[in-house]
Amino acid sequence: MARRSAGTPFLLRLSLLLLLCPGGEWGPSWTLGCASVAVGSPVVPLGSAVTASCAIQTELCRGLEQGKVRITWMLDNEPMAGSQHKDPGGMEVSNLTLPQFNRTQAKLWCWVEWNGTKQRVGMAEIRAGYPPAKPFNLSCVLNLSDYGLTCQWEQGANSHLPTNVALKCATPPSRCRRSRAQAVTGCTPQGGRSRCTVPRQLLQLYREMEIWVSATNALGTAESEHLCIDPMDVAKLDPPALQSIQSIPFQTDCVTLAWEVARSNAHMELQCELRYRVSEEPAWTLVTGIVGQAGTTQCCGFLFGTRYHFQMRCRRSSARGYWSEWSPGRNYTTHEKAPTGKLDAWWSAQPAGAAGQLEVQLRWKAPRQREANGRVLGYHVTLSPRRRGRDPPKDPSTICNTTHTQCNFSVMAGTRRVYLSAYNAAGESAATEVTLLERKGQPLARLRAVPRGERSLWVRWEAPPAPAVAYVLEWQRVSSEPGCCSTCWQMERDGAATTALIQDGIEPFQRYNISVYPLYKDFIGAPIHTTAYSKQKAPSYAPKLHLKSIGKSDAELCWDPVPVEMQNGFITSYTIFWANSTAEVSSATVNPSLSSFVIRELKPSTLYKVHIMASTAAGGTNGTSLTLVTMVLDDIEIQFLFLTLALIFVLLILLLICFQKNGRVKQQFWPSVPDPANSSLGKWVPAELQQEPLRVPGVREPGLATISTVTVLERAAGKLPSAWGKELSAETTATFPALPQPYVRQEAPRTSGHGWAAAEPRQGPGGSGEAVQYARVVGDGYKGQQHALPRLYLRSSSTQPLLDPSPSPKPYENLWFHRAEPHGCPADGGCPEELPATFPLLQGLRISGVEELHDCRTF
């Protein structure tokens, strides 16, 4: 049961779809058999109101007989709200009003909603736009090849509606007037174009016709202005053909031209025009009033020896119609004539050598085309006027025969005049006298130059106090390399002129030196100079900074000037920018004449980045950045520091010298310590033992010993102890005192590694037990040796102090002992077991009683 109820909506939709129109198509406007959709007008003006209604006959729509039906609207995909009611006939009706329809095209749908299901039951398409715009600029041309009348026009604004455009034509009975009854459609443009051609069969030649354009759409009709013309009046003829051009008669400026018209124009009376121009110039000269079907015409005012380009065109003489196209061009060069007029010349001279010669450079301007009368072949410079017909190479006065516009030659210093002439194939011009005047006149008071364009300059000056005959202007491009640019010049023959325009060789962003010379009657004035640019811009690059010097709080920078070719204008200033690591930026403007700058008030030991900007009136260019670090001390402080250190060093040296020279001061700092090796004990060594090398087996190489203390004891004779006095008295009573017996005792080795030797108590000379201690020697191990060595004790039987200045007793004899007990040594340890290798100073000691130690082994 649930499955059956779920399928009911699907069956309802299917039944509604089967109720389509019999054709089964969804056209621009369609409805179901039980519904109808109506609109007030399918085409409305854009922005106007639209009304629509949708009616449903429920009894004709199966499935809608029972239940409430709801009608809704959709304009394209946008829902619209309408009003719904039931009319007296039982139909469900919904009305919709759109107050402002702003779409050019849309579809209005009617929907039926029943039991939660929506279905489209009708649709109407609505279009909106404007009435057609009026066409304008209608023009027609008759083509004589097929005699079709081609008309073209301009269409107005887009109407957003389908529009039918047609070219209408009519033949009025007497004069042009609107006669719509007789209008016929001449042609219809294709593909949306605004031109079409009326065929010959619809035209009446040599009779006026009325022609206009009509545009029609659903909202109205618009027509262009009516054009009343004779089709032959708007005929465009074929161009004529130039047959020949000749110069007649000779030595005049006139030419004769012959032409022929096209065959299609042979039966017409024509009006023609001729135009010509010099081949190198764009401007044309027009000759009008040439009448006739064919023939010749004569024109004058042509330049001699000049190449011209000729063209011709024609139209009907009785019409205001169109000219034919210009005929194919034809070139012709007029005959030549000897040059005329005077040449503009300028010169400079300087003495040459000691022979009274004068080096002259003569320059002149080529004659203008009107004066050259052909192609100039060369120029003659002579010292006297030339005779006509005389061969220049045979004329002795000829000093220059050249094809250039300058000549360098030498003349005597007194030469005042030379003569210049030009020649072509037809002859030679009259000689121009050039007077070599002295340059000693007054210069102009003021001179300035301003740009007129990118390639020209206006030069203005103040007139001199004395009247001038003419002026000569010189200009030259400024370059870093002298002599690489040629000098241009021109002459102003009007002595009252105060301005001149120079154009020859002027280029933008280049500097030019300009000079003006006033020419007086008998001499030439001194020149006045100025510089100018025709156009400026920012420099091509900025100069590179160099660090000249740097201190604690300042830095001096220098740079090379920008080459004049790269300045692109007058440098107005240099701007120096510097910034530290904390982005504190400072700047200074420098005069363009300077090439160095000192930055002051810098922080010590700080890093700065510096760059320079070169500026002209048209902009500036930044240079590369320079990094510098200021010093901790400036030069004066560094010099003071070095001076102080030098003084301290000198004082130290002086103190050392004083210490070395003054023994008392030296003794205070370095007290004198007795050296046992240089004591009187060292002199007791026999000569034969000094020559014997010492050999200590099993012991490393001895080194210097460290002596800790040396104690010297002296007793005065009056302060001897009682025992000592007894011994002395006993000794004096004895016939010969007994020789004291020395002995050496060796103790067990100690871990400290130190050895020492000391005098043991011994009986005095009188046999008492009191002994005299005269020395104690303590030494460390050699070179830091840490092995334990046996401790040695050396006793002396001397009864005198060691350092007593009295004569020494009998020399002692040193004995060297080894660890192994030699044969014959006494058992009580009287022979040493090992040589005290760590005590090199003891090697010089000799012990008395050698006769008692004869059984010991010595080394």
Side-chain angles (χ1 to χ4, degrees):
M1 188 71 181
R3 297 177 63 182
R4 181 178 303 174
S5 60
T8 302
F10 173 77
L11 295 176
L12 179 60
R13 294 192 189 98
L14 182 61
S15 63
L16 291 175
L17 290 174
L18 294 176
L19 294 177
L20 293 172
C21 295
E25 296 180 359
W26 294 50
S29 179
W30 60 269
T31 57
L32 294 176
C34 61
S36 61
V37 177
V39 295
S41 175
V43 179
V44 297
L46 192 63
S48 62
V50 173
T51 58
S53 63
C54 180
I56 305 295
Q57 296 181 4
T58 55
E59 65 274 9
L60 297 180
C61 295
R62 287 177 294 178
L64 300 179
E65 297 89 351
Q66 299 178 356
K68 185 176 181 180
V69 177
R70 183 177 174 223
I71 302 174
T72 59
W73 295 89
M74 293 282 288
L75 184 64
D76 287 337
N77 296 323
E78 182 180 356
M80 297 291 170
S83 60
Q84 182 177 347
H85 65 279
K86 182 176 288 188
D87 66 351
M91 292 191 303
E92 292 288 340
V93 179
S94 176
N95 296 322
L96 175 66
T97 300
L98 301 176
Q100 191 174 12
F101 190 78
N102 293 323
R103 305 185 187 187
T104 58
Q105 186 176 1
K107 293 180 179 180
L108 185 62
W109 299 89
C110 179
W111 293 73
V112 174
E113 183 177 353
W114 181 73
N115 289 337
T117 302
K118 285 187 177 182
Q119 174 63 43
R120 291 186 295 188
V121 296
M123 184 270 291
E125 186 173 2
I126 304 172
R127 298 181 68 102
Y130 302 104
K134 180 180 179 179
F136 58 97
N137 286 344
L138 174 63
S139 62
C140 300
V141 176
L142 181 66
N143 188 358
L144 294 180
S145 60
D146 59 357
Y147 286 92
L149 185 66
T150 301
C151 298
Q152 61 182 7
W153 62 91
E154 293 185 27
Q155 196 66 42
N158 186 12
S159 64
H160 303 291
L161 295 175
T163 304
N164 296 322
V165 181
L167 182 67
K168 303 289 185 177
C169 56
T171 305
S174 58
R175 59 182 182 178
C176 277
R177 63 182 180 179
R178 296 194 175 187
S179 53
R180 298 180 181 272
Q182 301 176 2
V184 295
T185 300
C187 60
T188 301
Q190 303 295 326
R193 295 185 297 177
S194 298
R195 62 181 300 171
C196 65
T197 301
V198 180
R200 171 67 180 84
Q201 58 269 21
L202 297 180
L203 300 177
Q204 293 185 9
L205 302 181
Y206 300 101
R207 185 176 179 181
E208 287 188 346
M209 296 184 64
E210 189 176 2
I211 300 173
W212 68 96
V213 179
S214 175
T216 304
N217 63 13
L219 298 179
T221 301
E223 293 181 354
S224 68
E225 295 292 336
H226 288 226
L227 187 64
C228 293
I229 56 172
D230 179 357
M232 291 301 298
D233 289 342
V234 295
K236 188 171 184 179
L237 307 182
D238 294 331
L242 290 173
Q243 296 296 323
S244 64
I245 305 174
Q246 295 181 355
S247 296
I248 299 176
F250 189 71
Q251 291 295 326
T252 63
D253 59 352
C254 299
V255 297
T256 300
L257 295 91
W259 79 92
E260 183 180 18
V261 299
R263 291 183 179 181
S264 57
N265 309 335
H267 60 284
M268 302 179 186
E269 289 291 333
L270 302 179
Q271 177 184 0
C272 300
E273 291 180 347
L274 175 70
R275 69 176 184 179
Y276 62 89
R277 63 178 175 87
V278 178
S279 298
E280 295 81 10
E281 296 180 0
W284 292 89
T285 300
L286 186 65
V287 179
T288 61
I290 303 175
V291 180
Q293 291 186 354
T296 62
T297 186
Q298 183 175 336
C299 299
C300 299
F302 294 94
L303 301 178
F304 294 96
T306 305
R307 183 182 179 87
Y308 286 93
H309 186 73
F310 294 87
Q311 285 183 318
M312 198 172 188
R313 67 179 180 178
C314 298
R315 71 176 180 180
R316 287 184 63 195
S317 58
S318 61
R320 61 182 187 276
Y322 301 99
W323 290 95
S324 68
E325 298 292 339
W326 289 102
S327 66
R330 189 179 181 93
N331 296 323
Y332 178 73
T333 303
T334 59
H335 63 274
E336 293 187 353
K337 183 182 178 181
T340 58
K342 292 186 176 182
L343 300 175
D344 291 337
W346 181 237
W347 56 271
S348 61
Q350 58 183 0
Q357 294 288 322
L358 194 66
E359 286 289 340
V360 179
Q361 183 186 49
L362 182 63
R363 294 175 290 171
W364 58 88
K365 292 290 184 180
R368 293 181 291 270
Q369 182 67 31
R370 185 175 295 275
E371 298 173 350
N373 296 331
R375 188 171 67 90
V376 176
L377 301 178
Y379 302 91
H380 292 148
V381 180
T382 60
L383 295 176
S384 61
R386 278 185 11 89
R387 298 178 182 177
R388 291 185 177 275
R390 190 167 185 177
D391 191 11
K394 297 180 181 180
D395 190 348
S397 65
T398 301
I399 56 177
C400 194
N401 184 7
T402 180
T403 58
H404 302 289
T405 56
Q406 72 174 27
C407 178
N408 298 329
F409 55 89
S410 298
V411 295
M412 298 301 297
T415 304
R416 299 286 297 172
R417 292 177 178 83
V418 295
Y419 299 89
L420 174 65
S421 60
Y423 62 91
N424 59 14
E428 186 174 355
S429 68
T432 300
E433 183 181 272
V434 181
T435 305
L436 305 180
L437 301 175
E438 296 183 6
R439 299 184 179 182
K440 61 180 182 179
Q442 294 181 356
L444 299 176
R446 185 180 178 186
L447 176 67
R448 64 190 183 98
V450 294
R452 181 181 180 269
E454 289 189 3
R455 300 185 180 276
S456 60
L457 289 168
W458 270 114
V459 182
R460 294 184 173 91
W461 62 88
E462 291 184 3
V469 177
Y471 298 93
V472 173
L473 290 83
E474 284 187 346
W475 63 94
Q476 184 180 26
R477 183 165 63 89
V478 181
S479 175
S480 300
E481 301 178 1
C484 68
C485 301
S486 59
T487 302
C488 300
W489 66 278
Q490 73 182 37
M491 180 176 289
E492 292 295 326
R493 292 191 173 274
D494 185 6
T498 57
T499 61
L501 179 65
I502 58 176
Q503 305 179 76
D504 187 15
I506 300 297
E507 297 180 0
F509 317 123
Q510 297 296 326
R511 184 185 301 180
Y512 291 90
N513 283 333
I514 304 171
S515 305
V516 178
Y517 297 80
L519 303 184
Y520 301 103
K521 183 178 180 180
D522 298 324
F523 47 84
I524 299 175
I528 185 173
H529 310 282
T530 188
T531 57
Y533 282 88
S534 62
K535 187 179 181 180
Q536 300 187 54
K537 67 176 181 179
S540 299
Y541 64 88
K544 185 178 180 180
L545 287 175
H546 302 282
L547 182 61
K548 190 174 182 180
S549 64
I550 190 169
K552 177 181 178 181
S553 60
D554 55 55
E556 184 176 3
L557 306 173
C558 62
W559 59 89
D560 296 327
V562 180
V564 67
E565 296 90 348
M566 302 298 175
Q567 291 182 8
N568 302 328
F570 294 109
I571 300 295
T572 57
S573 65
Y574 293 110
T575 306
I576 311 294
F577 298 90
W578 64 93
N580 56 17
S581 57
T582 60
E584 295 179 2
V585 181
S586 302
S587 64
T589 302
V590 184
N591 191 287
S593 61
L594 301 178
S595 60
S596 63
F597 180 73
V598 178
I599 305 176
R600 304 188 185 278
E601 298 181 359
L602 300 178
K603 297 179 181 179
S605 186
T606 304
L607 184 143
Y608 287 90
K609 289 188 176 181
V610 188
H611 75 273
I612 186 172
M613 181 179 70
S615 302
T616 65
T621 301
N622 288 323
T624 57
S625 179
L626 174 67
T627 302
L628 54 89
V629 180
T630 54
M631 302 178 66
V632 179
L633 303 174
D634 56 15
D635 294 339
I636 297 178
E637 293 175 342
I638 293 175
Q639 294 175 4
F640 181 77
L641 178 62
F642 276 107
L643 182 60
T644 304
L645 294 176
L647 291 175
I648 294 174
F649 182 72
V650 170
L651 291 176
L652 290 176
I653 293 178
L654 293 176
L655 289 176
L656 291 176
I657 294 174
C658 292
F659 292 159
Q660 292 291 335
K661 296 296 183 181
N662 195 332
R664 182 175 299 174
V665 176
K666 181 179 179 182
Q667 186 67 23
Q668 293 294 329
F669 289 94
W670 299 284
S672 178
V673 178
D675 187 0
N678 296 325
S679 65
S680 59
L681 181 63
K683 299 178 182 179
W684 300 344
V685 181
E688 61 272 11
L689 186 60
Q690 294 179 1
Q691 297 178 359
E692 181 181 354
L694 299 177
R695 292 173 296 176
V696 183
V699 180
R700 295 185 181 182
E701 178 184 359
L704 298 176
T706 303
I707 300 174
S708 62
T709 59
V710 175
T711 304
V712 179
L713 300 178
E714 295 183 356
R715 296 179 182 269
K719 296 181 180 181
L720 294 177
S722 58
W724 184 268
K726 293 179 181 181
E727 290 177 0
L728 289 177
S729 60
E731 187 176 5
T732 56
T733 58
T735 60
F736 190 81
L739 183 67
Q741 297 295 325
Y743 69 91
V744 177
R745 186 181 66 181
Q746 182 176 3
E747 290 185 351
R750 302 173 66 176
T751 58
S752 61
H754 298 281
W756 59 277
E760 294 287 340
R762 180 179 172 80
Q763 292 181 354
S768 65
E770 182 180 8
V772 179
Q773 180 179 0
Y774 63 88
R776 182 178 62 179
V777 180
V778 180
D780 291 333
Y782 173 60
K783 294 185 178 179
Q785 294 175 358
Q786 300 298 327
H787 58 278
L789 296 177
R791 179 168 296 177
L792 300 179
Y793 295 89
L794 301 181
R795 291 187 179 275
S796 174
S797 59
S798 174
T799 60
Q800 298 180 358
L802 179 62
L803 299 179
D804 190 5
S806 61
S808 300
K810 182 180 178 179
Y812 294 97
E813 180 178 359
N814 269 338
L815 297 179
W816 301 93
F817 306 99
H818 299 275
R819 292 182 181 275
E821 185 174 342
H823 176 72
C825 289
D828 58 355
C831 292
E833 295 180 6
E834 183 179 358
L835 177 68
T838 58
F839 301 96
L841 294 178
L842 299 180
Q843 295 177 5
L845 299 178
R846 293 181 181 273
I847 304 174
S848 62
V850 292
E851 66 280 357
E852 298 177 7
L853 301 176
H854 64 274
D855 293 332
C856 294
R857 183 180 178 184
T858 61
F859 293 89

